[in-house]
Each structure stands twice: as C-alpha cells, then as structure tokens.
Amino acid sequence: MIKKITILILTLLLFSACGAQKRVVVVEKKAPTWYDNPPLSDSNTLYEVGQGYTKKEAIDNALSMMVSTLSVSIESKYHSKSVENQGSVENYQKTVSNEINSEVKKIRISNYEVVKAEEFGFKDYRVLVKSDKRKIYSSLKKEMEQKFSFIDKRSKDIQKLNAIKQMRYYKKAKESVADVPDTLTVLSSLESRFNPDKYLDKLQKVQRKYEQLLNSISFSIKTNSDARNLKDPIRDGLAQKKYQIKDAKGSSHFTITVTNKIQKAKAYGFDLARSAIAINVKDYRGSIIGSNKINIIGQSTQGYEIAKESVAIKFQAMIEKEGIENILGLKL
C-alpha cells in the first residue's frame, strides 16, 4: 500500500514538472532608447523616428514627419491604439492596432539614411532616419529645375499642335508643378539665401499659358434634323468644362458634327426610336480629332415624338455619367 502511494506521488510530481517546463514567461519589451530619445536635429542634419506595420511604412512616416519640420503646411492626424489582453499562458492575446490618417503635401525626401531599424513586435516596426540638409536642398532644387527644363523644351515642340492638344499638355504640366510652392518653402527654410522669385515666375507662366489656351478654345455644333435635340446636352457638357460655344474661325476653333439616323418601330405597345448617332470633331483644317458612334433606343407609349425625345434624355444621362470627353471621343 505504501509502495502504491509512493508511485502515485512520484507520478504527480513528474507531471507537475513537465507542466512547469511548458510554461512561458512573457516579458514586456521596452521601446529602444534611440526611439524614445532620438538625436536632436541641428543646423546640418535632420533626425526623425517613425513607426509602422512594415519597415517601409515606418520609414515613410519618419520622412513625412521630417518634412513637417521644414515649415511645410501639413495636416497630420495620428492615432495609435494599443490593446492588450493578458491571461494565462494558454490564452495569452495581444492586439496592437495603429491607425494613421495623414494628409501630407507631396514633398519627397530621397536622400536619407536609416540609422536604426527594429521590429518591436507583431506588425510594429520602429526606425530612426537621418538626412543631410544640404543634400535635401540640392536634390529638391535639382528635381524642380528638371521639371521646368522639360516643360520649356516640350512647349517649343508642341507649337504646331492644335489648341486642344497644347492645352492638354499645359494641363499636365500645371499638375506636375503643383507642389512647387511647398518645395520653395522647404528650400527657403534650408537656405536663407535662396531666392524663389524666378521659380514663381516660371510657375505662373505655366498657369497663365494653360488659362489662355482654355479661354481661347471654342466649339460650334452642327446637327442634322434628327439630332437637333442632342445639341443642348453637348453644349451643357462643354460649358461645365468652361469651353465657349460660338461660331468662330481660327486655329482655336473646333466643329462638332452630330448626325442621327432614326428607325421608327413599334413593340409591345411602345413607339420606338432606334437611333444611330455619329459624332465627329474637326479642327480648323478639317482634320478629324475625335469621333464616336452611339446607339440609343428611345421608347414611349405616347407617340414617336416622345420616343425621340427620350433619346435626348438618355443621351444627356450618358454625358453626365461618362463625361463629355468620352461621348465626343476627344481628350480635353
């Protein structure tokens, strides 16, 4: 009997020992010192830390914060929420969520060095980034000058194109230099002797050229008898894009021709107007620069004329949904 009790006690002790060996002790990891107390930026070098789900995201966040120190107008919202639920080893859970909502002007810092990078936990990366102010200045200035140099060169090559193509080019050029005011702010903060005036002049020149071309472009609309009710939807679509509708001549004037071939039909008590619409856009030389073909079926229980009018209503709805450019087959 004593022997059996001894064996039982030894068995229980053995299982207890095995259970103890499987027990995991969770140690809370502290943030690295370089993250909590990063080096201070000075007159030559910028330092910034960042956090993210991935190393790349952490670097991007660090660079965004670095940009904010350069006096750029930035709206940033950062919200970090950490929730920890800890129980026994078997049901230990840890949830960390980071919600970053940031509206940052698109100033790109391409010259930087990742000094420290560490995976702090699950989907939690921390980085320390530094950048030389002189390199940031040189890089941003060079990129901006290259943009304007390309615009100047290309603007000479497009002189023989029609006004719409020129306007479209300057629209893209205007978008490509939209970040110049912010870039100038950064450059001024990096170099007190920097003079932004000539770049502002270049920027205004691009904007003025786009506005001049946009204001110079005009359209006239010609239709056959069955397409007369399609004229107003086209006029409205162009007017919303700030284009003039008038009879004119010259290199900035374009003619839209709309023809509609309608077949009358009846089906299930409905009057039908089967419309085959052809659209051509010509420049002042008579060359077709845009075209489209659209089939629309109008229907009504109140006669053919109402069915024909429903074609115009559907046509207008197409313009509102797809845009006047797609309807004309012309990029504006």
Side-chain angles (χ1 to χ4, degrees):
M1 184 67 178
I2 296 174
K3 185 177 180 180
K4 289 182 179 181
I5 293 174
T6 303
I7 293 173
L8 180 59
I9 292 172
L10 290 174
T11 303
L12 290 173
L13 289 173
L14 178 62
F15 279 108
S16 296
C18 291
Q21 288 177 359
K22 291 181 180 180
R23 188 173 183 82
V24 177
V25 178
V26 178
V27 179
E28 192 70 22
K29 188 174 182 180
K30 293 183 179 180
T33 304
W34 55 261
Y35 184 83
D36 287 337
N37 297 290
L40 296 176
S41 299
D42 54 36
S43 59
N44 297 317
T45 308
L46 292 171
Y47 291 93
E48 193 57 69
V49 293
Q51 179 182 13
Y53 286 133
T54 63
K55 182 179 178 181
K56 181 181 182 303
E57 186 180 77
I59 293 173
D60 289 342
N61 290 334
L63 294 176
S64 294
M65 291 303 297
M66 186 176 285
V67 169
S68 71
T69 66
L70 299 176
S71 304
V72 179
S73 174
I74 294 176
E75 291 182 9
S76 298
K77 294 179 181 179
Y78 178 79
H79 176 62
S80 178
K81 185 179 182 181
S82 179
V83 180
E84 296 185 6
N85 296 315
Q86 290 180 295
S88 62
V89 175
E90 289 75 18
N91 63 9
Y92 172 77
Q93 296 179 5
K94 181 176 180 181
T95 303
V96 177
S97 68
N98 290 305
E99 299 173 3
I100 300 176
N101 181 12
S102 180
E103 297 177 4
V104 180
K105 302 287 179 156
K106 301 299 181 181
I107 299 297
R108 184 169 59 90
I109 295 179
S110 56
N111 289 283
Y112 63 89
E113 177 187 346
V114 179
V115 180
K116 298 283 187 179
E118 183 177 337
E119 186 174 4
F120 182 70
F122 179 66
K123 291 187 177 181
D124 185 0
Y125 284 79
R126 311 285 177 96
V127 297
L128 171 63
V129 175
K130 80 171 183 177
S131 185
D132 188 294
K133 287 185 176 182
R134 290 169 299 179
K135 290 182 179 180
I136 296 176
Y137 175 84
S138 298
S139 176
L140 289 176
K141 188 168 180 285
K142 182 179 179 181
E143 288 176 6
M144 184 176 61
E145 289 177 340
Q146 286 176 339
K147 285 182 181 180
F148 283 119
S149 177
F150 178 80
I151 291 172
D152 288 340
K153 181 180 183 302
R154 181 64 178 143
S155 63
K156 296 175 183 178
D157 298 335
I158 65 172
Q159 294 301 315
K160 295 181 180 180
L161 300 178
N162 66 55
I164 288 179
K165 288 184 177 179
Q166 289 188 48
M167 182 273 297
R168 197 161 64 228
Y169 167 73
Y170 276 100
K171 182 180 180 181
K172 290 181 179 178
K174 187 167 71 79
E175 292 170 353
S176 73
V177 294
D179 62 348
V180 164
D182 293 325
T183 302
L184 294 176
T185 302
V186 172
L187 292 174
S188 297
S189 70
L190 291 171
E191 174 54 70
S192 59
R193 293 173 295 178
F194 174 73
N195 187 352
D197 290 348
K198 74 172 183 177
Y199 300 105
L200 287 172
D201 289 341
K202 289 177 179 290
L203 177 63
Q204 292 170 359
K205 181 180 177 181
V206 173
Q207 293 172 334
R208 283 197 302 268
K209 187 63 177 178
Y210 169 73
E211 294 294 337
Q212 289 171 0
L213 285 165
L214 179 63
N215 294 330
S216 72
I217 294 172
S218 62
F219 292 90
S220 57
I221 306 171
K222 297 180 179 180
T223 69
N224 66 351
S225 58
D226 284 334
R228 286 173 187 165
N229 59 353
L230 306 180
K231 189 173 183 178
D232 284 345
I234 293 175
R235 181 189 288 113
D236 292 343
L238 290 170
Q240 288 181 5
K241 294 289 184 179
K242 299 182 180 180
Y243 293 109
Q244 301 178 64
I245 311 299
K246 63 181 182 180
D247 292 326
K249 293 182 180 180
S251 60
S252 297
H253 185 71
F254 302 84
T255 302
I256 301 171
T257 303
V258 186
T259 59
N260 187 9
K261 294 181 180 180
I262 301 180
Q263 290 183 343
K264 297 181 181 179
K266 285 184 176 290
Y268 303 104
F270 287 94
D271 290 294
L272 304 180
R274 301 180 185 275
S275 297
I277 303 167
I279 302 173
N280 286 315
V281 185
K282 295 182 180 180
D283 63 14
Y284 71 103
R285 296 190 184 97
S287 300
I288 295 176
I289 62 170
S291 64
N292 197 7
K293 291 183 178 181
I294 303 170
N295 295 313
I296 299 176
I297 299 177
Q299 61 185 38
S300 174
T301 58
Q302 301 175 16
Y304 168 71
E305 289 301 321
I306 303 299
K308 184 179 174 181
E309 189 60 33
S310 76
V311 172
I313 294 173
K314 290 182 178 180
F315 183 67
Q316 183 171 1
M318 288 180 67
I319 292 176
E320 292 173 355
K321 181 180 179 180
E322 300 179 22
I324 189 64
E325 297 96 337
N326 290 324
I327 298 302
L328 298 179
L330 177 67
K331 291 182 179 180
L332 293 173

